[in-house]
């Protein structure tokens, strides 16, 4: 059995994994402390999600976790997150508001945004 919170968001039985949020969720959401991972596509198509706070217990964010959350403008990601899946923030207002070029989330290289000019090299930070 899964655990469903008062907003209709689903967690694994042991509350270690955030599984999903209803597409009609609106506003800010705070993931519960103790969660260690956000499952792939967990918030996919939550177009009313405006911001999310991720607790220090989270170490990984799955692929496409916030895909198509076009209202998502603010994400608080702790340094404990060491793994972020492909396209985790694809098609979000947060990503659209980032400047073109290399985008880091904390100490992790997340993506390159925009058109990379020919014969360009990227130096990745330690």
């Amino acid at each position: 059995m899964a655990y469903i919170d008062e907003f209709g968001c689903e967690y694994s039985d042991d509350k270690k994994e955030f599984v999903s949020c209803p597409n009609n969720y609106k506003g800010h959401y705070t993931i519960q402390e103790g969660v260690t991972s956000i499952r792939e596509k967990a918030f996919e198509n939550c177009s009313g999600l405006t911001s999310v706070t991720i607790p220090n217990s989270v170490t990984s964010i799955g692929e496409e976790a916030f895909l198509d959350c076009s209202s998502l403008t603010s994400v608080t990601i702790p340094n404990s997150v060491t793994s972020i899946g492909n396209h985790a923030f694809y098609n979000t207002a947060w990503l659209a508001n980032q400047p073109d070029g290399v985008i880091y989330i904390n100490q992790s290289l997340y993506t390159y945004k925009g058109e990379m000019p020919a014969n360009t090299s990227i130096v990745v930070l330690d």
Side-chain angles (χ1 to χ4, degrees):
M1 287 304 252
Y3 167 76
I4 309 292
D5 72 9
E6 66 270 23
F7 304 106
C9 294
E10 182 180 346
Y11 292 80
S12 61
D13 250 357
D14 60 4
K15 298 182 186 175
K16 296 287 185 192
E17 184 176 38
F18 183 85
V19 177
S20 67
C21 192
N23 289 350
N24 63 352
Y25 186 85
K26 292 182 179 5
H28 174 79
Y29 187 79
T30 299
I31 295 174
Q32 294 181 3
E33 188 63 47
V35 169
T36 58
S37 66
I38 300 171
R39 188 178 284 182
E40 64 183 52
K41 300 184 180 187
F43 287 92
E44 179 183 27
N45 295 319
C46 288
S47 59
L49 181 70
T50 57
S51 60
V52 63
T53 299
I54 299 171
N56 289 326
S57 55
V58 172
T59 59
S60 67
I61 298 173
E63 291 186 13
E64 301 177 348
F66 296 93
L67 178 70
D68 294 330
C69 293
S70 53
S71 297
L72 183 64
T73 57
S74 176
V75 182
T76 303
I77 302 173
N79 287 330
S80 60
V81 174
T82 57
S83 172
I84 300 172
N86 291 336
H87 305 292
F89 297 97
Y90 187 76
N91 202 25
T92 64
W94 175 83
L95 184 58
N97 288 333
Q98 301 303 309
D100 282 355
V102 177
I103 297 175
Y104 286 90
I105 295 178
N106 298 330
Q107 300 302 313
S108 299
L109 173 64
Y110 171 62
T111 192
Y112 186 92
K113 181 183 172 205
E115 189 84 21
M116 187 182 305
N119 301 318
T120 299
S121 61
I122 297 174
V123 177
V124 177
L125 301 176
D126 288 339

